[in-house]
């Protein structure tokens, strides 16, 4: 990945300290209390029997409808298609209007139809709807519709900002500066702090990837920390920001964070698998791009546990194509690919569990968005099948 000039300066001057953020919170479970309907004896067995049968029929109908809703398949991208179109148009117009020379880049970065470029804003827009549950407030009565529209607009800004921060590494200082301006306009200090931290993490992760020591390069813990900084921090902190803007508790905000973190890790782990299985062309990468650039990822790290002699090749580097072929031979004999898939599945399950632990809601749109968020975890894993 190419650094922008501005991010490179930040990297050199400020962010050298790495923090490990990989303690997993115990996932809360929702407990559904059964609904008990009391029956009153009306004195007449016929009437009582009729009422009982009627109630039973209604109960079966409700159960059937609930089952249909629960099993309904949802397409995460189609649920937010209109919002995604507006987001792309906003970003494209902003770049073209202020920096015409970036017009062609804007068309590439913000064009619709490429799911890889829409993955992050899709998560955040779905999270905004998934957290759209009533929150008790002590403030005086206000125009609820107006407050709801303003909140949605602010949450959409998080999707804009996250995409600009992600692309700033490619498009340079301009998008990063615009993201900072948009961030300041939200006037929420905690959200500003979270997304400023994301920029620090992106730079730190790139620095960790460029200059690891020999031991760090062969450490799974170091690799996972770097992966969180480079990939999962943006999604997790943006999801948490969505919850904070809506006024949710710290507990709910952390569930949103956990979803984003674990989905981000799962997504990157599958990317690492795809780089070896030859299916990564759809992502715009060349096969074996990481190892050819000397980047050691989870499959090789797991293979190294089975074949310690791989460490010699890793230390020697992969500039020589022969070393690449030898490493691939060891990888093929190992369970490196399978164990990476299993780790990705574990994180995908943790992401799904976080959504299942959100406060209950009877709102159909909220439920549909939550199913879509779970569907995204399954799609992330399915890419490597």
């Amino acid at each position: 990945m190419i650094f922008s000039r501005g991010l490179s300066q930040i990297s050199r001057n400020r962010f050298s300290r790495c923090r490990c953020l990989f303690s997993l919170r115990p996932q809360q479970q929702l407990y559904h209390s059964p609904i008990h309907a009391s029956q009153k004896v009306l004195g007449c067995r016929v009437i009582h029997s009729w009422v009982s049968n009627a109630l039973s029929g209604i109960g079966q109908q409700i159960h059937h409808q609930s089952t249909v809703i629960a099993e309904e398949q949802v397409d995460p991208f189609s649920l937010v298609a209109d919002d995604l179109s507006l987001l792309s148009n906003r970003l494209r117009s902003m770049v073209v209007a202020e920096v015409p020379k970036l017009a062609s880049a804007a068309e590439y970065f913000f064009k619709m139809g490429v799911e890889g470029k829409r993955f992050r804003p899709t998560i955040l827009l779905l999270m905004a709807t998934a957290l759209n549950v009533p929150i008790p407030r002590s403030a005086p009565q206000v125009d609820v519709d107006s407050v709801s529209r303003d909140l949605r607009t602010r949450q959409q800004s998080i999707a804009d900002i996250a995409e600009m921060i992600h692309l700033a590494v490619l498009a340079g200082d301009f998008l990063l500066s615009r993201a900072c301006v948009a961030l300041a306009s939200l006037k929420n200090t905690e959200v500003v702090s979270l997304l400023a931290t994301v920029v620090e993490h992106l730079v730190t992760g790139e620095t960790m990837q460029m200059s690891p020591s020999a031991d760090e390069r062969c450490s799974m813990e170091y690799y996972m920390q770097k992966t969180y900084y480079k990939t999962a921090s943006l999604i997790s902190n943006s999801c948490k920001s969505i919850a904070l803007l809506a006024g949710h508790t710290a507990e709910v905000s952390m569930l949103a964070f956990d979803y984003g973190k674990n989905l981000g890790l799962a997504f990157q782990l599958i990317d690492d698998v795809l780089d070896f299985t030859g299916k990564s062309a759809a992502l715009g990468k060349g096969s074996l791009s990481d190892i050819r650039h000397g980047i050691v990822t989870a499959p090789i790290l797991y293979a190294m546990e089975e074949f310690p002699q791989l460490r010699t090749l890793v230390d020697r580097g992969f500039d020589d194509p022969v070393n690449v072929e030898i490493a691939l031979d060891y990888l093929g004999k190992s369970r490196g690919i399978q164990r990476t898939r299993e780790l990705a599945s574990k994180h995908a399950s943790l992401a799904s569990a976080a959504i299942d632990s959100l406060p209950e809601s009877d709102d159909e749109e909220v439920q549909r968005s939550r199913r879509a968020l779970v569907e995204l975890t399954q799609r992330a894993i399915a890419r490597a099948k």
Side-chain angles (χ1 to χ4, degrees):
M1 183 177 290
I2 302 174
F3 268 115
S4 68
R5 174 172 52 82
L7 288 180
S8 298
Q9 291 173 349
I10 295 174
S11 172
R12 290 195 298 269
N13 296 336
R14 292 190 177 182
F15 307 121
S16 58
R17 184 167 58 92
C18 301
R19 298 194 293 271
C20 185
L21 300 176
F22 284 93
S23 58
L24 293 176
R25 303 173 64 253
Q27 299 299 323
Q28 294 182 323
Q29 301 296 323
L30 285 178
Y31 294 92
H32 301 279
S33 300
I35 299 175
H36 299 285
S38 61
Q39 295 181 338
K40 294 184 178 180
V41 178
L42 301 179
C44 176
R45 291 184 178 180
V46 175
I47 295 177
H48 179 272
S49 176
W50 180 85
V51 171
S52 298
N53 291 336
L55 289 175
S56 176
I58 293 172
Q60 291 175 359
Q61 182 179 3
I62 292 174
H63 175 73
H64 173 71
Q65 291 174 344
S66 299
T67 302
V68 171
I69 292 175
E71 294 178 353
E72 177 188 355
Q73 294 296 316
V74 293
D75 179 10
F77 297 97
S78 66
L79 287 182
V80 293
D82 291 342
D83 283 338
L84 286 172
S85 179
L86 292 173
L87 178 145
S88 293
N89 289 337
R90 283 195 302 271
L91 296 178
R92 187 187 302 110
S93 298
M94 178 193 69
V95 173
V96 173
E98 300 206 19
V99 186
K101 290 184 179 180
L102 290 180
S104 60
E107 288 300 320
Y108 172 75
F109 291 134
F110 305 131
K111 69 181 179 180
M112 299 302 292
V114 182
E115 289 189 359
K117 298 294 184 293
R118 298 182 294 165
F119 186 70
R120 292 164 187 81
T122 294
I123 292 172
L124 301 177
L125 293 168
L126 287 172
M127 183 64 72
T129 303
L131 296 177
N132 185 22
V133 296
I135 301 173
R137 303 181 187 277
S138 58
Q141 294 296 323
V142 294
D143 184 344
V144 176
D145 290 339
S146 176
V147 171
S148 179
R149 287 193 299 270
D150 178 65
L151 172 60
R152 185 68 179 185
T153 299
R154 285 154 58 83
Q155 289 174 326
Q156 287 172 340
S157 292
I158 297 293
D160 291 355
I161 292 165
E163 196 69 352
M164 284 190 284
I165 289 175
H166 169 65
L167 293 172
V169 179
L170 300 175
D173 298 339
F174 174 73
L175 286 177
L176 184 58
S177 65
R178 289 312 302 261
C180 292
V181 171
L183 186 57
S185 70
L186 295 177
K187 298 179 181 179
N188 184 305
T189 55
E190 191 169 2
V191 170
V192 170
S193 177
L194 282 175
L195 294 182
T197 298
V198 167
V199 178
E200 175 184 349
H201 286 172
L202 286 171
V203 176
T204 302
E206 290 288 354
T207 303
M208 292 174 70
Q209 181 166 291
M210 289 192 306
S211 55
S213 67
D215 288 338
E216 289 170 340
R217 199 177 183 205
C218 298
S219 165
M220 178 62 78
E221 181 181 356
Y222 186 87
Y223 161 80
M224 290 298 291
Q225 182 176 338
K226 178 198 70 176
T227 299
Y228 171 77
Y229 284 149
K230 281 175 55 64
T231 303
S233 175
L234 177 58
I235 301 175
S236 59
N237 283 293
S238 296
C239 284
K240 184 177 180 180
S241 297
I242 291 289
L244 290 172
L245 284 179
H248 283 285
T249 64
E251 182 179 11
V252 172
S253 298
M254 281 306 300
L255 288 172
F257 177 93
D258 288 344
Y259 173 83
K261 179 183 76 172
N262 286 294
L263 178 59
L265 292 175
F267 194 91
Q268 184 57 51
L269 286 164
I270 294 300
D271 263 8
D272 294 342
V273 169
L274 291 174
D275 197 50
F276 286 103
T277 60
K279 299 178 181 178
S280 57
L283 300 175
K285 297 180 180 179
S287 185
L288 306 177
S289 63
D290 285 337
I291 193 171
R292 293 186 190 281
H293 287 87
I295 300 172
V296 179
T297 56
I300 292 293
L301 291 172
Y302 278 133
M304 198 183 306
E305 293 179 9
E306 297 179 54
F307 299 99
Q309 53 267 46
L310 250 179
R311 173 67 186 261
T312 303
L313 287 175
V314 171
D315 290 341
R316 191 184 304 163
F318 296 103
D319 293 334
D320 187 343
V322 174
N323 290 343
V324 174
E325 293 302 321
I326 296 175
L328 292 178
D329 184 58
Y330 280 122
L331 178 62
K333 297 175 183 177
S334 75
R335 295 182 64 251
I337 294 292
Q338 180 180 345
R339 290 181 67 187
T340 303
R341 285 195 180 110
E342 291 170 355
L343 182 59
S345 296
K346 174 185 175 182
H347 283 290
S349 296
L350 289 171
S352 296
I355 297 301
D356 291 339
S357 298
L358 290 173
E360 295 184 38
S361 172
D362 295 327
D363 187 285
E364 186 175 341
E365 188 177 10
V366 170
Q367 294 176 358
R368 188 182 298 113
S369 292
R370 292 180 182 183
R371 291 198 302 274
L373 288 169
V374 172
E375 173 68 18
L376 283 175
T377 69
Q378 297 169 355
R379 291 193 183 194
I381 300 302
R383 294 179 304 136
K385 293 180 179 179

